[in-house]
Amino acid sequence: GEDVEQSLFLSVREGDSSVINCTYTDSSSTYLYWYKQEPGAGLQLLTYIFSNMDMKQDQRLTVLLNKKDKHLSLRIADTQTGDSAIYFCAGEGYQKVTFGIGTKLQVIP
Amino acid sequence: DAGVIQSPRHEVTEMGQEVTLRCKPISGHNSLFWYRQTMMRGLELLIYFNNNVPIDDSGMPEDRFSAKMPNASFSTLKIQPSEPRDSAVYFCASSSEGGGTSEQETQYFGPGTRLLVL
């Protein structure tokens, strides 16, 4: 099955860019996702990328996909305190979506 | 739509008691997922249903856990008997695709049930 790994913690200053990285194992993953979990809440889809794309941009968010290295990243430009949350990478393998353990992003004012 | 609804939001119980968690998926969604989230293990998929049928329950920890989906609008996750190590946040999620369709599947999560077993 799919294995998704990501670092546990990232700290950035407000206004800087944040880059959250993720690696996955299933090269047949059709879609890769980024979810955001705010304190006390469930996960919410931020963005996703289809496996035949290298990059997807959505306002302050940029997703980069390197299929060869099975590496996915999420860049948040001009990080705000409201971006403080846990970010989950997820890969869609056969019949199910597998989530990483989540990266806690701390934004320092 | 109100989104995925879970109840109760918080549950505190004593070891050995039965716990029942409830979920109402988004209307029209045909896939439902139960997850458990802990600090140590992150987010774990316990079981998922497609068209009310359990498709993959390989994540269910042991026989003390059971899940049902009697109809398209309701599912339960039961722990009997509960143990302190079951303390976690349990999420229910639903999506409009599933079952290996290879279509993009956005999962919509409920707010979770925070379970504490003393």
Side-chain angles (χ1 to χ4, degrees):
Chain A
E2 174 90 277
D3 224 357
V4 177
E5 293 191 359
Q6 47 185 134
S7 52
L8 289 179
F9 190 75
L10 176 66
S11 181
V12 298
R13 292 207 173 274
E14 190 175 15
D16 288 350
S17 291
S18 309
V19 180
I20 303 171
N21 294 302
C22 167
T23 57
Y24 60 98
T25 58
D26 187 352
S27 57
S28 66
S29 289
T30 313
Y31 291 93
L32 294 135
Y33 303 84
W34 284 104
Y35 281 79
K36 177 183 180 183
Q37 183 183 29
E38 295 185 349
L43 281 69
Q44 191 170 19
L45 180 70
L46 262 186
T47 185
Y48 67 91
I49 188 167
F50 188 48
S51 59
N52 70 351
M53 297 169 65
D54 297 324
M55 186 182 88
K56 180 179 180 181
Q57 188 148 7
D58 183 2
Q59 299 181 334
R60 293 191 296 120
L61 305 178
T62 303
V63 178
L64 294 177
L65 175 60
N66 181 329
K67 277 198 78 172
K68 176 175 166 290
D69 295 337
K70 300 193 192 74
H71 182 266
L72 184 74
S73 68
L74 173 70
R75 179 177 180 270
I76 305 173
D78 186 25
T79 312
Q80 303 297 307
T81 53
D83 296 325
S84 293
I86 301 176
Y87 291 81
F88 290 86
C89 169
E92 185 174 327
Y94 179 65
Q95 289 197 334
K96 69 180 181 184
V97 174
T98 301
F99 288 83
I101 199 164
T103 300
K104 184 170 184 177
L105 174 65
Q106 179 188 46
V107 182
I108 303 166
Chain B
D1 199 311
V4 175
I5 298 172
Q6 291 187 246
S7 64
R9 292 294 309 276
H10 302 272
E11 176 85 26
V12 180
T13 191
E14 290 186 338
M15 184 173 68
Q17 296 297 306
E18 178 180 295
V19 174
T20 300
L21 311 181
R22 296 173 177 79
C23 176
K24 182 179 187 308
I26 292 174
S27 177
H29 282 189
N30 61 359
S31 290
L32 183 140
F33 308 80
W34 281 103
Y35 292 90
R36 178 172 67 178
Q37 186 179 35
T38 60
M39 289 286 290
M40 294 298 294
R41 301 170 69 97
L43 195 67
E44 301 173 276
L45 177 65
L46 300 177
I47 185 170
Y48 84 92
F49 296 84
N50 184 251
N51 293 323
N52 310 341
V53 176
I55 302 299
D56 183 354
D57 65 354
S58 59
M60 293 287 262
E62 46 198 274
D63 291 345
R64 296 184 299 105
F65 285 68
S66 62
K68 291 182 181 178
M69 192 164 185
N71 57 61
S73 59
F74 183 65
S75 176
T76 59
L77 177 68
K78 190 174 289 188
I79 309 172
Q80 166 63 19
S82 58
E83 296 182 3
R85 60 193 168 119
D86 302 330
S87 298
V89 182
Y90 291 82
F91 288 103
C92 176
S94 69
S95 73
S96 59
E97 295 292 344
T101 62
S102 296
E103 296 294 322
Q104 186 269 324
E105 297 186 30
T106 298
Q107 291 189 22
Y108 294 83
F109 282 74
T113 295
R114 278 158 180 73
L115 174 64
L116 177 61
V117 183
L118 301 173

